[in-house]
Amino acid sequence: MIDIHSHILPFMDDGAADWEAALGMAQDAIRDGITTIIATPHHANGQYMNPAPSIEQAVKVMNERLRQLGNPLLVLPGQEIRVYGDLLNDLEHGQLLSLAGSRYILLEMPSSRVPRNMEEVCHELTIQGYVPVIAHPERNAEVAADPARLERLIEQGALGQVTAQSVAGVFGSKLQKLSLELCRKKLVHVVASDAHDSGHRPFGLSEAYRVLEKQLGTEVSGFFRENAEKIVGNKEILVRNQDEPRKKSRKLFDFLFRNH
Ligand SMILES: [Fe+2]
């Protein structure tokens, strides 16, 4: 499996505290069936600043240490970027990282709200050829209250990343229900661990896929697996579902109807 969101790098944020913890997490990842993992330290979330060069350096050292230990896990560079005022400027100046050097870029919203400039930032990134991937929208209070807030961003070209533990029900049945609903509606398109440690916030990716398969079927769980692969391989992800053409013609119908 491929995990596109993790806090496995040491000394960066509230993830792995040191090398022992990071290498322990790497063993956990292998045990869970993960072969490739994108390290996505928090950046500009008000607490942690992890500009691109420091992440790239830490990824290099981590892979060296893993090879020395005979651990086959491949770590790739990424960043969990809080939507902040200087985001576009910092991207231009090489301070930000996309996911594994792809067109996909992981964005984090505050948990309480959808930032006012969210649509504008996503739009600008899209114009520049990036595909915003919104981290765990199911844990955002405004999205939970009104999933249409997320739908607008998805229609604009963003993707959603649901967290494995949300899908598996670790954060409660209410959040699990919402997560599965977002999966069903294709408002989220990829599942990732967002693992922070070996205890409270472990990987649990295999369990999330088991739940997805059981609750929504092999087609949906396959869609999620494929999308994680496409992100690492920088391949295009098609999000349009079968309902979209109908929705469009419905909009046209409403428009014509209203104008008569
Ligand atoms: Fe995260």
Side-chain angles (χ1 to χ4, degrees), residues 5-7 40 42 80 106 108 135-136 161 194-196 201:
H5 179 170
S6 75
H7 299 270
T40 51
H42 287 290
E80 181 174 12
L106 187 65
E108 183 194 35
H136 39 67
Q161 172 259 306
D194 195 8
H196 279 65
R201 300 191 58 187

Side-chain angles (χ1 to χ4, degrees), residues 83-173:
V83 176
Y84 66 110
D86 282 338
L87 190 151
L88 296 168
N89 189 40
D90 285 353
L91 179 64
E92 197 184 323
H93 290 94
Q95 297 302 296
L96 305 185
L97 288 172
S98 66
L99 294 171
S102 71
R103 73 192 79 175
Y104 300 98
I105 187 162
L106 187 65
L107 299 184
E108 183 194 35
M109 304 191 285
S111 58
S112 58
R113 60 191 176 82
V114 176
R116 262 185 303 136
N117 62 343
M118 191 66 188
E119 289 190 25
E120 191 188 322
V121 169
C122 285
H123 180 66
E124 187 55 41
L125 287 170
T126 308
I127 288 174
Q128 292 187 31
Y130 290 99
V131 177
V133 178
I134 300 164
H136 39 67
E138 80 280 8
R139 300 177 68 187
N140 178 280
E142 281 189 356
V143 171
D146 179 15
R149 296 297 303 268
L150 176 62
E151 199 171 352
R152 275 199 290 279
L153 298 168
I154 303 305
E155 280 173 359
Q156 242 187 327
L159 299 177
Q161 172 259 306
V162 71
T163 293
Q165 287 191 301
S166 305
V167 171
V170 182
F171 299 141
S173 60

Side-chain angles (χ1 to χ4, degrees), residues 154-242:
I154 303 305
E155 280 173 359
Q156 242 187 327
L159 299 177
Q161 172 259 306
V162 71
T163 293
Q165 287 191 301
S166 305
V167 171
V170 182
F171 299 141
S173 60
K174 202 174 156 193
L175 198 55
Q176 183 182 33
K177 209 175 143 202
L178 171 66
S179 300
L180 291 171
E181 191 56 25
L182 296 179
C183 292
R184 202 175 283 122
K185 288 181 171 163
K186 292 205 175 160
L187 292 178
V188 291
H189 314 85
V190 63
V191 59
S193 76
D194 195 8
H196 279 65
D197 53 50
S198 298
H200 292 298
R201 300 191 58 187
F203 290 95
L205 200 53
S206 54
E207 175 60 15
Y209 278 117
R210 255 196 300 277
V211 172
L212 276 180
E213 198 169 322
K214 191 169 167 222
Q215 299 291 329
L216 305 176
T218 49
E219 200 187 315
V220 173
S221 67
F223 172 73
F224 279 77
R225 274 179 206 275
E226 260 176 41
N227 289 342
E229 283 171 23
K230 284 178 175 173
I231 287 172
V232 167
N234 193 22
K235 304 261 165 56
E236 189 182 5
I237 293 177
L238 297 170
V239 299
R240 301 188 196 295
N241 58 32
Q242 291 156 333

